[in-house]
Amino acid sequence: MNIKILSRNSDLYSTKRLVEAAEKRKHQVEVIDHLKCDLVIEKRKPSIVYKGESLTEVDAIIPRIGASVTFYGTAVVRQFEMMGAFSTVDSEALIRSRDKLRSLQVLSKAKIGLPKTVFTNYSRDVEGVINRVGGTPLVVKLLEGTQGLGVVLAETKNAAKSVIEAFNGLKARVIVQEFIKEAKGADVRVFIVDGHVVGAMKRQGKEGEFRSNLHQGGKAEVIELSDDEEIAAIRAAKAMKLGVAGVDMLQSSRGPLILEVNSSPGLEGIEKATGKDIAKTIIRYIEKNV
């Protein structure tokens, strides 16, 4: 098969592992920078020009689209889909997953456990917002934040009011969420491929840090999921219509609570924590569908 990996950096761990896995299974694979693709849109013959040449006979693509270039990256994915290529991440699912508010609404509609969340149109009733998530401590998240950036823990009512009012004053869109104390600064990342759990790890924030992201200095270890956690992760990926997904959840006293469903989950943390060849599983997912 002819597989294209949409990535802006061929030296990234995830990109290199996917290339290696595809080549091991005797596929033709190439990394292309989606921002350097020109889209030719015409009746019956949509095409993509990359470095002056038309990309033809592409069987499948693996999108590794960064959050900052979602708009153009998704347009490239959509163009490949129009050309008949299979994508491990559907273009519409990619857009849906990048909208944090929409994602939470989709998960809520699917009756999946979530931390209590409030979103307003820069409401002046800040105290009411705080009370609706159960008071402090609480978490304030920028809708455009990634990898733990733009996430603030407000431990007192005064701190919460100051943070929310500051973001409102800057016209920065935020969501306010309840703080799950019993999670103890840890979350669980579940890797889903084709509706199945292929790996899971527990990420623990560094000392004094409530964010568990590995980019923020957190540590990861393999974890065996409970039945409820496994079911919640699979249902979340299905609700978001993602064939490949990283589902982040908190372990709470009322069961697993989904934080986010990531459409471009990194492979380094999960492969090193579990010792599993996740890249190979993604290539086999392509083989099954092409």
Side-chain angles (χ1 to χ4, degrees):
M1 279 190 298
N2 183 358
I3 300 173
K4 305 295 185 188
I5 300 173
L6 308 186
S7 173
R8 298 192 64 199
N9 186 349
S10 59
D11 292 327
L12 292 175
Y13 178 94
S14 297
T15 304
K16 289 194 293 186
R17 285 288 297 115
L18 288 164
V19 170
E20 180 183 302
E23 288 178 341
K24 274 188 177 180
R25 297 186 68 82
K26 310 302 181 184
H27 299 301
Q28 180 183 340
V29 59
E30 179 186 12
V31 178
I32 65 173
D33 183 345
H34 37 283
L35 293 191
K36 295 180 180 178
C37 290
D38 297 329
L39 313 183
V40 181
I41 304 166
E42 59 179 322
K43 184 179 179 180
R44 296 181 182 173
K45 198 179 179 182
S47 60
I48 295 176
V49 178
Y50 182 66
K51 293 184 176 179
E53 296 185 6
S54 291
L55 299 178
T56 58
E57 298 180 359
V58 177
D59 297 301
I61 61 170
I62 304 175
R64 302 290 307 172
I65 309 296
S68 62
V69 294
T70 297
F71 175 79
Y72 198 79
T74 304
V76 175
V77 174
R78 192 183 304 116
Q79 190 82 351
F80 272 113
E81 291 171 341
M82 291 164 60
M83 293 163 57
F86 171 76
S87 177
T88 56
V89 179
D90 177 83
S91 57
E92 290 304 309
L94 175 57
I95 292 174
R96 191 182 302 114
S97 71
R98 289 289 162 80
D99 185 332
K100 288 185 181 179
L101 179 61
R102 184 179 178 187
S103 296
L104 291 172
Q105 290 174 318
V106 169
L107 295 171
S108 175
K109 184 178 180 181
K111 296 180 172 56
I112 294 168
L114 303 165
K116 188 178 289 186
T117 304
V118 174
F119 175 72
T120 73
N121 188 40
Y122 309 118
S123 172
R124 293 184 179 181
D125 182 19
V126 175
E127 192 160 333
V129 170
I130 293 170
N131 292 335
R132 288 185 192 100
V133 297
T136 54
L138 55 76
V139 179
V140 183
K141 295 181 179 180
L142 275 172
L143 283 180
E144 290 79 23
T146 60
Q147 297 177 348
L149 300 175
V151 181
V152 179
L153 173 64
E155 300 196 53
T156 67
K157 184 171 284 189
N158 285 339
K161 288 179 71 174
S162 296
V163 171
I164 295 169
E165 287 171 354
F167 279 129
N168 285 351
L170 293 169
K171 295 297 180 184
R173 294 286 189 185
V174 297
I175 55 176
V176 180
Q177 282 187 332
E178 67 172 315
F179 177 66
I180 308 301
K181 185 177 181 180
E182 59 267 30
K184 298 178 180 178
D187 73 0
V188 176
R189 160 63 64 88
V190 185
F191 212 103
I192 304 285
V193 178
D194 196 20
H196 300 282
V197 173
V198 297
M201 62 180 174
K202 188 170 186 176
R203 303 181 296 188
Q204 180 68 55
K206 63 184 180 181
E207 187 71 27
E209 175 61 75
F210 81 99
R211 296 171 297 178
S212 57
N213 304 70
L214 300 185
H215 291 86
Q216 301 297 333
K219 295 181 179 179
E221 62 180 13
V222 67
I223 183 176
E224 185 172 340
L225 300 175
S226 68
D227 290 345
D228 286 346
E229 289 165 348
E230 185 169 340
I231 290 168
I234 292 171
R235 287 182 61 213
K238 184 178 180 181
M240 297 298 294
K241 298 182 179 178
L242 286 167
V244 175
V247 181
D248 296 339
M249 66 174 69
L250 296 176
Q251 296 174 310
S252 81
S253 57
R254 61 180 191 268
L257 303 177
I258 304 299
L259 284 174
E260 185 177 6
V261 183
N262 194 318
S263 55
S264 294
L267 299 181
E268 185 170 8
I270 194 76
E271 286 197 337
K272 289 183 177 179
T274 64
K276 293 183 177 180
D277 191 342
I278 307 293
K280 177 182 175 181
T281 305
I282 294 173
I283 300 303
R284 292 184 67 179
Y285 171 54
I286 292 173
E287 293 168 350
K288 176 183 173 183
N289 284 275
V290 177

Coordinates of all heavy atoms in Angstrom, one line a residue, residues 188-235:
V188 N -5.7 9.0 33.6 CA -5.4 7.7 32.9 C -5.6 8.0 31.4 O -6.5 8.6 31.0 CB -6.4 6.6 33.3 CG1 -6.2 5.4 32.4 CG2 -6.2 6.3 34.8
R189 N -4.6 7.6 30.6 CA -4.6 7.7 29.1 C -4.9 6.3 28.6 O -4.1 5.4 28.8 CB -3.4 8.3 28.6 CG -3.1 8.1 27.1 CD -4.1 8.7 26.1 NE -4.1 10.2 26.2 CZ -3.4 11.0 25.4 NH1 -2.5 10.5 24.6 NH2 -3.6 12.3 25.5
V190 N -6.0 6.2 27.9 CA -6.4 4.9 27.2 C -6.2 5.1 25.7 O -6.8 6.0 25.1 CB -7.8 4.5 27.6 CG1 -8.1 3.1 27.0 CG2 -8.0 4.5 29.1
F191 N -5.5 4.2 25.1 CA -5.3 4.3 23.6 C -6.2 3.3 23.0 O -6.3 2.2 23.3 CB -3.8 3.9 23.3 CG -3.3 4.7 22.1 CD1 -2.4 5.7 22.2 CD2 -3.7 4.3 20.8 CE1 -1.9 6.4 21.1 CE2 -3.2 4.9 19.7 CZ -2.3 6.0 19.8
I192 N -7.0 3.9 22.1 CA -8.1 3.1 21.4 C -7.7 3.0 19.9 O -7.4 4.1 19.3 CB -9.5 3.8 21.5 CG1 -9.8 4.0 23.0 CG2 -10.5 3.0 20.7 CD1 -10.2 2.7 23.7
V193 N -7.8 1.8 19.3 CA -7.7 1.6 17.9 C -8.8 0.7 17.4 O -8.9 -0.4 17.9 CB -6.3 1.0 17.5 CG1 -6.2 0.8 16.0 CG2 -5.1 2.0 17.9
D194 N -9.6 1.2 16.5 CA -10.6 0.4 15.9 C -11.6 -0.2 16.9 O -12.0 -1.3 16.9 CB -10.0 -0.8 15.1 CG -11.0 -1.4 14.1 OD1 -12.1 -0.8 13.8 OD2 -10.8 -2.5 13.7
G195 N -11.9 0.7 17.9 CA -12.9 0.3 18.9 C -12.4 -0.6 20.0 O -13.2 -1.2 20.8
H196 N -11.1 -0.8 20.1 CA -10.5 -1.7 21.1 C -9.4 -1.0 21.9 O -8.7 -0.2 21.3 CB -9.9 -3.0 20.4 CG -10.8 -3.8 19.6 ND1 -11.7 -4.6 20.2 CD2 -11.1 -3.8 18.3 CE1 -12.5 -5.2 19.3 NE2 -12.1 -4.8 18.1
V197 N -9.3 -1.3 23.2 CA -8.2 -0.8 24.0 C -6.9 -1.5 23.6 O -6.9 -2.7 23.7 CB -8.5 -0.9 25.5 CG1 -7.3 -0.5 26.3 CG2 -9.7 -0.1 25.9
V198 N -5.9 -0.8 23.2 CA -4.6 -1.4 22.9 C -3.5 -1.0 23.8 O -2.4 -1.5 23.7 CB -4.2 -1.0 21.4 CG1 -5.3 -1.6 20.4 CG2 -4.1 0.5 21.2
G199 N -3.8 -0.1 24.8 CA -2.8 0.2 25.8 C -3.4 1.2 26.7 O -4.3 2.0 26.4
A200 N -2.9 1.2 28.0 CA -3.4 2.2 29.0 C -2.3 2.5 29.9 O -1.5 1.6 30.3 CB -4.6 1.6 29.7
M201 N -2.2 3.8 30.4 CA -1.2 4.2 31.3 C -1.8 5.2 32.3 O -2.7 5.9 32.0 CB 0.1 4.8 30.6 CG -0.2 6.0 29.8 SD 1.3 6.7 29.0 CE 0.6 8.0 28.1
K202 N -1.2 5.2 33.5 CA -1.6 6.2 34.5 C -0.5 7.2 34.5 O 0.7 6.9 34.6 CB -1.7 5.5 35.9 CG -2.3 6.5 36.9 CD -2.7 5.7 38.2 CE -3.4 6.7 39.2 NZ -3.9 5.9 40.4
R203 N -0.9 8.5 34.4 CA 0.1 9.6 34.4 C 0.0 10.4 35.7 O -1.1 10.9 36.0 CB -0.2 10.5 33.2 CG -0.1 9.8 31.9 CD -0.3 10.7 30.7 NE -1.7 11.3 30.7 CZ -2.2 12.0 29.7 NH1 -1.4 12.2 28.6 NH2 -3.4 12.5 29.7
Q204 N 1.1 10.5 36.4 CA 1.1 11.2 37.7 C 1.8 12.5 37.6 O 3.0 12.5 37.1 CB 1.7 10.3 38.7 CG 1.8 10.9 40.1 CD 0.4 11.1 40.8 OE1 -0.3 10.1 40.9 NE2 0.1 12.3 41.2
G205 N 1.2 13.6 38.0 CA 1.9 14.9 37.9 C 3.1 14.9 38.9 O 3.1 14.2 39.9
K206 N 4.0 15.8 38.6 CA 5.2 15.9 39.4 C 4.8 16.6 40.8 O 3.7 17.1 40.9 CB 6.3 16.7 38.8 CG 5.9 18.2 38.4 CD 7.0 18.9 37.7 CE 6.7 20.3 37.3 NZ 7.7 21.0 36.6
E207 N 5.6 16.5 41.7 CA 5.3 17.0 43.1 C 4.8 18.4 43.0 O 5.5 19.3 42.4 CB 6.6 16.9 43.9 CG 6.4 17.3 45.4 CD 5.6 16.2 46.1 OE1 5.7 15.0 45.7 OE2 5.0 16.5 47.1
G208 N 3.7 18.7 43.6 CA 3.1 20.0 43.7 C 2.4 20.4 42.4 O 2.0 21.6 42.3
E209 N 2.2 19.5 41.5 CA 1.6 19.9 40.2 C 0.3 19.0 40.0 O 0.4 17.8 40.1 CB 2.6 19.6 39.0 CG 2.0 19.8 37.6 CD 1.6 21.2 37.4 OE1 2.4 22.1 37.2 OE2 0.3 21.4 37.4
F210 N -0.8 19.7 39.8 CA -2.0 18.9 39.6 C -2.2 18.5 38.2 O -3.0 17.6 37.9 CB -3.2 19.8 40.0 CG -3.7 20.8 39.0 CD1 -4.8 20.5 38.2 CD2 -3.1 22.0 38.8 CE1 -5.2 21.4 37.2 CE2 -3.5 22.9 37.8 CZ -4.6 22.6 37.1
R211 N -1.5 19.0 37.2 CA -1.6 18.6 35.8 C -0.7 17.3 35.6 O 0.5 17.4 36.1 CB -1.2 19.7 34.9 CG -2.1 20.9 34.9 CD -1.5 22.0 34.1 NE -0.2 22.5 34.6 CZ 0.5 23.5 34.1 NH1 0.2 24.1 33.0 NH2 1.7 23.8 34.7
S212 N -1.2 16.3 35.0 CA -0.5 15.1 34.9 C 0.2 14.9 33.5 O 0.8 13.9 33.2 CB -1.4 13.9 35.1 OG -2.5 13.9 34.2
N213 N 0.1 15.9 32.6 CA 0.7 15.8 31.3 C 2.1 15.5 31.3 O 2.9 16.1 32.1 CB 0.5 17.1 30.5 CG -1.0 17.5 30.4 OD1 -1.6 17.9 31.4 ND2 -1.6 17.4 29.3
L214 N 2.6 14.6 30.5 CA 4.0 14.2 30.4 C 4.8 15.4 30.0 O 6.0 15.6 30.4 CB 4.2 13.0 29.5 CG 3.5 11.7 29.8 CD1 3.9 10.6 28.9 CD2 3.8 11.3 31.2
H215 N 4.3 16.3 29.1 CA 5.0 17.5 28.7 C 5.2 18.5 29.9 O 6.0 19.4 29.8 CB 4.2 18.2 27.6 CG 4.1 17.5 26.3 ND1 3.2 16.5 26.1 CD2 4.9 17.6 25.2 CE1 3.3 16.0 24.9 NE2 4.4 16.6 24.3
Q216 N 4.4 18.3 31.0 CA 4.6 19.1 32.1 C 5.4 18.5 33.2 O 5.5 18.9 34.4 CB 3.2 19.5 32.7 CG 2.3 20.2 31.7 CD 2.8 21.6 31.3 OE1 3.6 22.2 32.1 NE2 2.5 22.0 30.1
G217 N 6.1 17.4 32.9 CA 7.0 16.7 33.8 C 6.4 15.5 34.5 O 7.0 15.0 35.5
G218 N 5.2 15.1 34.1 CA 4.5 14.0 34.7 C 5.2 12.7 34.4 O 6.0 12.6 33.4
K219 N 4.9 11.6 35.2 CA 5.5 10.3 34.9 C 4.4 9.3 34.6 O 3.2 9.5 35.0 CB 6.3 9.8 36.1 CG 7.5 10.7 36.4 CD 8.2 10.2 37.7 CE 9.5 11.0 37.9 NZ 10.2 10.5 39.1
A220 N 4.7 8.3 33.8 CA 3.7 7.3 33.3 C 4.1 5.9 33.8 O 5.2 5.6 33.8 CB 3.5 7.4 31.8
E221 N 3.0 5.1 34.1 CA 3.2 3.7 34.4 C 2.0 2.9 33.8 O 0.9 3.5 33.7 CB 3.4 3.5 35.9 CG 2.1 3.9 36.7 CD 2.3 3.7 38.2 OE1 3.5 3.4 38.6 OE2 1.3 3.7 38.9
V222 N 2.3 1.7 33.5 CA 1.2 0.9 32.9 C 0.1 0.6 34.0 O 0.4 0.6 35.1 CB 1.8 -0.5 32.4 CG1 2.3 -1.3 33.5 CG2 0.8 -1.2 31.6
I223 N -1.1 0.5 33.5 CA -2.2 0.3 34.4 C -3.2 -0.7 33.8 O -3.4 -0.7 32.6 CB -3.0 1.7 34.7 CG1 -4.1 1.5 35.8 CG2 -3.5 2.3 33.5 CD1 -4.8 2.7 36.2
E224 N -3.8 -1.5 34.7 CA -4.8 -2.4 34.3 C -6.2 -1.7 34.5 O -6.5 -1.4 35.7 CB -4.7 -3.7 35.0 CG -5.7 -4.8 34.5 CD -5.5 -6.1 35.1 OE1 -4.4 -6.4 35.6 OE2 -6.5 -6.9 35.1
L225 N -6.9 -1.5 33.5 CA -8.2 -0.8 33.6 C -9.3 -1.7 34.3 O -9.3 -2.9 34.1 CB -8.7 -0.4 32.2 CG -7.8 0.5 31.4 CD1 -8.4 0.8 30.0 CD2 -7.6 1.9 32.1
S226 N -10.2 -1.0 35.0 CA -11.4 -1.7 35.5 C -12.3 -1.9 34.3 O -12.1 -1.2 33.2 CB -12.0 -0.9 36.6 OG -12.6 0.3 36.0
D227 N -13.3 -2.7 34.4 CA -14.3 -2.9 33.4 C -15.0 -1.6 33.0 O -15.2 -1.2 31.9 CB -15.4 -3.9 33.8 CG -14.8 -5.3 33.8 OD1 -13.7 -5.5 33.3 OD2 -15.4 -6.2 34.4
D228 N -15.3 -0.8 34.1 CA -16.0 0.5 33.9 C -15.1 1.5 33.1 O -15.6 2.2 32.2 CB -16.4 1.1 35.2 CG -17.6 0.4 35.8 OD1 -18.3 -0.4 35.1 OD2 -17.9 0.7 37.0
E229 N -13.8 1.5 33.4 CA -12.9 2.4 32.7 C -12.7 2.0 31.3 O -12.7 2.8 30.4 CB -11.6 2.4 33.4 CG -11.6 3.1 34.8 CD -10.4 2.8 35.7 OE1 -9.6 1.9 35.3 OE2 -10.2 3.5 36.7
E230 N -12.6 0.7 31.0 CA -12.5 0.2 29.6 C -13.7 0.6 28.8 O -13.6 1.1 27.7 CB -12.2 -1.3 29.6 CG -11.9 -1.8 28.2 CD -11.4 -3.3 28.3 OE1 -11.0 -3.7 29.3 OE2 -11.5 -3.9 27.2
I231 N -14.9 0.3 29.4 CA -16.1 0.6 28.7 C -16.3 2.1 28.4 O -16.7 2.5 27.3 CB -17.3 0.1 29.5 CG1 -17.3 -1.5 29.5 CG2 -18.7 0.6 28.9 CD1 -18.3 -2.1 30.5
A232 N -16.0 2.9 29.4 CA -16.1 4.4 29.2 C -15.2 4.9 28.1 O -15.6 5.7 27.3 CB -15.7 5.1 30.5
A233 N -13.9 4.4 28.1 CA -13.0 4.8 27.0 C -13.5 4.4 25.6 O -13.4 5.2 24.7 CB -11.6 4.2 27.3
I234 N -13.9 3.2 25.5 CA -14.4 2.7 24.2 C -15.6 3.5 23.7 O -15.8 4.0 22.6 CB -14.7 1.2 24.2 CG1 -13.4 0.4 24.4 CG2 -15.5 0.8 23.0 CD1 -13.7 -1.1 24.7
R235 N -16.6 3.8 24.7 CA -17.8 4.5 24.4 C -17.4 6.0 24.0 O -18.1 6.6 23.1 CB -18.7 4.5 25.5 CG -19.4 3.2 25.8 CD -20.4 3.3 26.9 NE -21.5 4.3 26.6 CZ -22.0 5.0 27.6 NH1 -21.7 4.9 28.9 NH2 -23.0 5.9 27.3

